[in-house]
Amino acid sequence: MSPYRRAAAQTASLITAAEMLHTYFSALKAAGFTDAQALTLVRDAQANALGAGEGR
């Protein structure tokens, strides 16, 4: 795979991940969580996802 295609695939993955985290944050807010609580849970989810990708 060319470096350009690889970069495009990585960009698409990052955009998808960001959209999923935003959706998760919005759902938490709709469920009554405060901004601080929702952000903490989103950061935890992000850290877990990044850790899982590193073979944790």
Side-chain angles (χ1 to χ4, degrees):
M1 180 183 291
S2 78
Y4 298 108
R5 286 182 187 253
R6 188 176 309 120
Q10 288 173 340
T11 300
S13 293
L14 288 172
I15 290 169
T16 300
E19 289 172 342
M20 289 172 41
L21 290 171
H22 181 265
T23 300
Y24 181 44
F25 177 80
S26 297
L28 291 169
K29 289 290 295 171
F33 287 86
T34 65
D35 281 352
Q37 291 169 325
L39 284 172
T40 298
L41 292 170
V42 168
R43 285 187 202 125
D44 289 347
Q46 183 181 18
N48 288 337
L50 290 174
E54 295 171 356
R56 193 171 130 196

